[in-house]
Amino acid sequence: MTRNNCKILDCTIRDGGLVNNWDFSVEFVQDLYKGLSAAGVEYMEIGYKNSPKLLKGEAGPWRFLDEKFLREVIPQKTETKLSALVDIGRVDENDILPRSESMLDLIRVACYIKDVDKALDLVQKFHDMGYETSLNIMALSHVLEHELAEAFEEISKSPVDIVYIVDSYGSMDAKDMEYLVDKFHSLLPDKQLGIHTHNNMQLAFSNTLVGVQKGVVFLDSSVYGMGRAAGNCPTELLVSYLKNPRYDLRPVLDVIERHMIPLRQKVEWGYIIPYMISGALNEHPRVAMALRESEDKDKFVEFYDKLTSPEVSVGSK
């Protein structure tokens, strides 16, 4: 079946940067952009547009995108558009240029349900500056029904172009996705929908396809699945599966062969048991990520017992 309405948004640099602290070389990012462009991928998320003055710690330049730097990295844009993501409380909107002066086409605003009002304020500002916009409500598996209903009332009145269903903890299955997509469609009929999945239980690809089958347009992915902890839906799988004549798998395979295989030998992501456990328990993967950086990284039973013991409070995890 041809699915010409779907658009792939590759977030290798942005989400994958959570694995290596955004320590990607300029050559890596340039080759990725060329590869995704040749593959026909519609969007590449080239990082975060957060403000260094609002965040502690050192990180690669893709964590705090600078327009002058971006023009040096990508002197000639292709049909593949560029996006960036911002977090509530971590971005100074005064650092954002109007779209007419920017390399970016789409700015995505990520928030938790409690901050939807703040996120929509940012969406309005970015919309007024000419950008395509999206709202990414994180950790939907922990959001209560009445919270979502209240948020939808405000979202429906906003100019946001795309509203994302985000499986932050990789804990959802096909029934969860079907339910959420139907709910988003029914209560936000005038908005395009997007889907962002994590692969804790090896369901990222299949859950994304549920979205495809139910009319979700924007599909997040990353090359070789590189993303925080268990990673995301692999871009190469979507390019292969979506029967769109614009897509070409070969350039993505070339990027994997030349860049992702060597990188995977240095940093870890993907389906690993502690990430599976955190997904199965609908937990944030931070505790599993900490385990994988410790000497006890392969003590799966002890880790499972710790997370499922009634004596262990959520705060102590």
Side-chain angles (χ1 to χ4, degrees), residues 231-270:
N232 309 114
C233 175
T235 299
E236 60 271 16
L237 283 178
L238 290 181
V239 169
S240 303
Y241 181 85
L242 299 173
K243 307 306 181 186
N244 189 327
R246 71 172 281 132
Y247 294 145
D248 182 1
L249 177 61
R250 194 176 186 279
V252 185
L253 296 179
D254 181 61
V255 171
I256 292 172
E257 181 180 323
R258 292 192 295 116
H259 290 290
M260 305 310 292
I261 297 298
L263 182 58
R264 185 62 178 79
Q265 295 172 352
K266 298 177 182 178
V267 292
E268 179 180 274
W269 74 84

Coordinates of all heavy atoms in Angstrom, one line a residue, residues 231-270:
G231 N 16.3 3.7 22.5 CA 16.3 4.2 21.1 C 14.9 4.3 20.6 O 13.9 4.1 21.3
N232 N 14.8 4.7 19.3 CA 13.6 5.0 18.6 C 13.2 4.0 17.5 O 14.0 3.1 17.3 CB 13.7 6.4 18.0 CG 14.1 7.5 19.0 OD1 15.2 8.0 18.9 ND2 13.3 7.7 20.0
C233 N 12.1 4.3 16.8 CA 11.8 3.6 15.6 C 12.9 3.8 14.6 O 13.2 5.0 14.3 CB 10.5 4.0 15.1 SG 10.0 3.3 13.5
P234 N 13.5 2.8 14.0 CA 14.6 3.0 13.0 C 14.1 3.6 11.7 O 13.2 3.2 11.1 CB 15.1 1.6 12.8 CG 14.7 0.8 14.0 CD 13.4 1.4 14.4
T235 N 14.8 4.7 11.3 CA 14.5 5.3 10.0 C 14.5 4.4 8.9 O 13.7 4.4 8.0 CB 15.5 6.5 9.8 OG1 15.4 7.4 10.9 CG2 15.2 7.2 8.5
E236 N 15.5 3.5 8.9 CA 15.7 2.6 7.7 C 14.5 1.6 7.6 O 14.1 1.2 6.5 CB 17.0 1.8 7.8 CG 17.1 0.9 9.1 CD 17.7 1.6 10.3 OE1 17.8 2.9 10.2 OE2 18.2 0.9 11.2
L237 N 13.8 1.3 8.7 CA 12.6 0.4 8.6 C 11.5 1.2 8.0 O 10.7 0.6 7.2 CB 12.2 0.0 10.0 CG 13.0 -1.2 10.6 CD1 12.5 -1.5 12.0 CD2 13.0 -2.4 9.7
L238 N 11.3 2.5 8.4 CA 10.2 3.2 7.8 C 10.4 3.5 6.3 O 9.5 3.4 5.5 CB 10.1 4.6 8.5 CG 9.5 4.5 9.9 CD1 9.4 5.9 10.5 CD2 8.1 3.8 9.9
V239 N 11.7 3.8 5.9 CA 12.0 4.1 4.5 C 11.7 2.8 3.7 O 11.3 2.9 2.6 CB 13.5 4.5 4.4 CG1 13.9 4.5 2.9 CG2 13.7 5.9 4.9
S240 N 12.0 1.6 4.3 CA 11.8 0.4 3.6 C 10.3 0.0 3.5 O 9.8 -0.4 2.5 CB 12.5 -0.8 4.4 OG 13.9 -0.5 4.5
Y241 N 9.6 0.3 4.6 CA 8.2 -0.2 4.7 C 7.2 0.7 3.9 O 6.3 0.2 3.3 CB 7.8 -0.3 6.1 CG 6.4 -0.8 6.3 CD1 6.1 -2.1 6.4 CD2 5.3 0.2 6.5 CE1 4.8 -2.6 6.5 CE2 4.0 -0.3 6.7 CZ 3.8 -1.6 6.7 OH 2.5 -2.1 6.9
L242 N 7.4 2.0 4.1 CA 6.4 3.0 3.4 C 6.6 3.0 1.9 O 7.7 3.3 1.4 CB 6.6 4.4 4.0 CG 6.4 4.5 5.5 CD1 6.8 5.9 6.0 CD2 4.9 4.2 5.9
K243 N 5.6 2.5 1.2 CA 5.8 2.3 -0.2 C 5.6 3.6 -1.0 O 4.7 3.9 -1.7 CB 4.7 1.3 -0.7 CG 4.8 0.0 0.0 CD 6.2 -0.7 0.0 CE 6.2 -2.0 0.8 NZ 7.5 -2.5 1.0
N244 N 6.5 4.5 -0.7 CA 6.5 5.8 -1.3 C 7.7 5.9 -2.3 O 8.8 5.7 -1.9 CB 6.7 6.9 -0.2 CG 6.4 8.3 -0.8 OD1 6.8 8.6 -1.9 ND2 5.9 9.2 0.0
P245 N 7.4 6.2 -3.6 CA 8.5 6.2 -4.6 C 9.6 7.3 -4.3 O 10.7 7.2 -4.8 CB 7.8 6.5 -5.9 CG 6.5 7.1 -5.5 CD 6.1 6.5 -4.2
R246 N 9.3 8.2 -3.4 CA 10.4 9.2 -3.1 C 11.5 8.6 -2.2 O 12.6 9.2 -2.1 CB 9.8 10.4 -2.4 CG 9.3 10.3 -1.0 CD 8.9 11.6 -0.4 NE 10.0 12.4 0.1 CZ 10.2 13.7 -0.2 NH1 9.4 14.3 -0.9 NH2 11.3 14.3 0.3
Y247 N 11.2 7.5 -1.5 CA 12.1 7.0 -0.5 C 13.1 6.0 -1.2 O 12.8 5.2 -2.1 CB 11.4 6.3 0.6 CG 10.6 7.2 1.5 CD1 9.4 6.7 2.0 CD2 11.0 8.5 1.8 CE1 8.6 7.5 2.9 CE2 10.3 9.3 2.6 CZ 9.1 8.8 3.1 OH 8.3 9.6 3.9
D248 N 14.4 6.1 -0.7 CA 15.4 5.2 -1.2 C 16.2 4.8 0.0 O 16.8 5.6 0.7 CB 16.3 6.0 -2.2 CG 17.5 5.2 -2.8 OD1 17.5 4.0 -2.5 OD2 18.2 5.8 -3.6
L249 N 16.3 3.5 0.2 CA 16.9 2.9 1.4 C 18.5 3.0 1.3 O 19.1 3.1 2.3 CB 16.5 1.4 1.5 CG 17.2 0.6 2.6 CD1 16.8 1.3 4.0 CD2 16.7 -0.8 2.6
R250 N 19.0 2.9 0.1 CA 20.5 2.8 0.0 C 21.3 3.9 0.7 O 22.2 3.6 1.4 CB 20.8 2.7 -1.5 CG 22.3 2.3 -1.7 CD 22.6 2.1 -3.3 NE 23.9 1.5 -3.5 CZ 25.0 2.2 -3.4 NH1 25.0 3.5 -3.1 NH2 26.2 1.6 -3.6
P251 N 20.9 5.2 0.6 CA 21.6 6.2 1.3 C 21.6 6.0 2.8 O 22.6 6.4 3.5 CB 21.0 7.5 0.8 CG 20.3 7.2 -0.5 CD 19.8 5.7 -0.3
V252 N 20.5 5.5 3.3 CA 20.5 5.3 4.8 C 21.4 4.2 5.2 O 22.1 4.3 6.2 CB 19.0 5.0 5.3 CG1 19.0 4.9 6.8 CG2 18.1 6.1 4.8
L253 N 21.4 3.1 4.4 CA 22.4 2.0 4.7 C 23.8 2.5 4.6 O 24.7 2.0 5.4 CB 22.1 0.9 3.7 CG 20.8 0.2 3.7 CD1 20.7 -0.9 2.6 CD2 20.5 -0.4 5.1
D254 N 24.1 3.4 3.7 CA 25.5 3.9 3.6 C 25.8 4.7 4.9 O 27.0 4.6 5.4 CB 25.5 4.9 2.4 CG 26.9 5.4 2.2 OD1 27.9 4.6 2.0 OD2 27.1 6.7 2.3
V255 N 24.9 5.5 5.4 CA 25.2 6.2 6.7 C 25.4 5.2 7.8 O 26.3 5.4 8.6 CB 24.0 7.2 7.0 CG1 24.2 7.7 8.4 CG2 23.9 8.3 6.0
I256 N 24.6 4.2 7.9 CA 24.8 3.2 8.9 C 26.1 2.5 8.8 O 26.8 2.4 9.8 CB 23.6 2.1 8.8 CG1 22.3 2.8 9.2 CG2 23.9 1.0 9.8 CD1 21.1 1.9 8.9
E257 N 26.5 2.1 7.6 CA 27.8 1.4 7.4 C 29.0 2.3 7.8 O 29.9 1.8 8.5 CB 27.8 1.0 6.0 CG 29.1 0.2 5.6 CD 29.2 -0.2 4.2 OE1 28.1 -0.6 3.6 OE2 30.2 -0.2 3.6
R258 N 28.9 3.5 7.4 CA 30.1 4.4 7.5 C 30.2 5.1 8.9 O 31.2 5.4 9.4 CB 30.1 5.5 6.5 CG 30.4 4.9 5.1 CD 30.7 6.0 4.1 NE 29.6 6.9 3.8 CZ 29.5 8.1 4.1 NH1 30.6 8.7 4.7 NH2 28.5 8.9 3.9
H259 N 29.0 5.3 9.5 CA 29.0 6.1 10.8 C 28.4 5.4 12.0 O 28.9 5.5 13.1 CB 28.2 7.4 10.5 CG 29.0 8.4 9.7 ND1 30.1 9.1 10.0 CD2 28.7 8.8 8.4 CE1 30.5 9.8 9.1 NE2 29.7 9.7 8.1
M260 N 27.2 4.7 11.8 CA 26.5 4.2 12.9 C 27.1 3.0 13.5 O 27.2 2.8 14.7 CB 25.0 3.9 12.6 CG 24.3 5.1 12.0 SD 24.4 6.7 12.9 CE 23.5 6.2 14.4
I261 N 27.7 2.1 12.7 CA 28.3 0.9 13.2 C 29.5 1.3 14.0 O 29.7 0.8 15.2 CB 28.7 0.0 12.0 CG1 27.5 -0.5 11.3 CG2 29.5 -1.2 12.6 CD1 26.5 -1.3 12.1
P262 N 30.4 2.1 13.6 CA 31.5 2.5 14.4 C 31.1 3.2 15.7 O 31.7 3.0 16.8 CB 32.4 3.5 13.6 CG 32.0 3.1 12.2 CD 30.6 2.7 12.2
L263 N 30.1 4.1 15.6 CA 29.6 4.8 16.8 C 29.0 3.8 17.8 O 29.2 4.0 19.0 CB 28.5 5.8 16.3 CG 27.9 6.7 17.4 CD1 29.0 7.5 18.2 CD2 26.9 7.7 16.8
R264 N 28.3 2.8 17.3 CA 27.6 1.9 18.2 C 28.6 1.1 19.0 O 28.3 0.5 20.1 CB 26.7 0.9 17.4 CG 25.9 -0.1 18.3 CD 24.9 0.6 19.2 NE 24.1 -0.3 19.9 CZ 24.5 -1.0 21.0 NH1 25.7 -0.8 21.5 NH2 23.7 -1.8 21.6
Q265 N 29.9 1.0 18.6 CA 30.9 0.3 19.3 C 31.5 1.2 20.4 O 32.1 0.7 21.3 CB 32.1 -0.1 18.3 CG 31.6 -1.1 17.3 CD 32.7 -1.3 16.2 OE1 33.7 -0.6 16.2 NE2 32.5 -2.3 15.4
K266 N 31.1 2.5 20.4 CA 31.6 3.4 21.4 C 30.6 3.8 22.5 O 30.9 4.0 23.6 CB 32.1 4.7 20.8 CG 33.3 4.5 19.8 CD 33.7 5.8 19.1 CE 34.8 5.7 18.1 NZ 35.1 6.9 17.4
V267 N 29.3 3.9 22.0 CA 28.2 4.2 22.9 C 27.1 3.2 22.8 O 27.0 2.6 21.7 CB 27.7 5.7 22.7 CG1 28.8 6.7 23.1 CG2 27.3 5.9 21.2
E268 N 26.3 3.1 23.8 CA 25.3 2.1 23.9 C 23.9 2.7 23.7 O 23.5 3.7 24.4 CB 25.4 1.4 25.2 CG 24.4 0.3 25.4 CD 24.6 -0.4 26.8 OE1 25.4 -1.4 26.8 OE2 23.9 0.0 27.7
W269 N 23.1 2.0 22.9 CA 21.6 2.3 22.9 C 21.0 1.1 22.3 O 21.6 0.2 21.8 CB 21.3 3.5 22.0 CG 21.5 3.3 20.5 CD1 20.6 2.8 19.6 CD2 22.7 3.6 19.7 NE1 21.1 2.7 18.4 CE2 22.4 3.2 18.4 CE3 23.9 4.1 20.0 CZ2 23.3 3.3 17.3 CZ3 24.8 4.3 19.0 CH2 24.5 3.9 17.7
G270 N 19.6 1.0 22.4 CA 18.9 -0.1 21.8 C 18.3 -1.0 22.8 O 18.3 -0.7 24.0

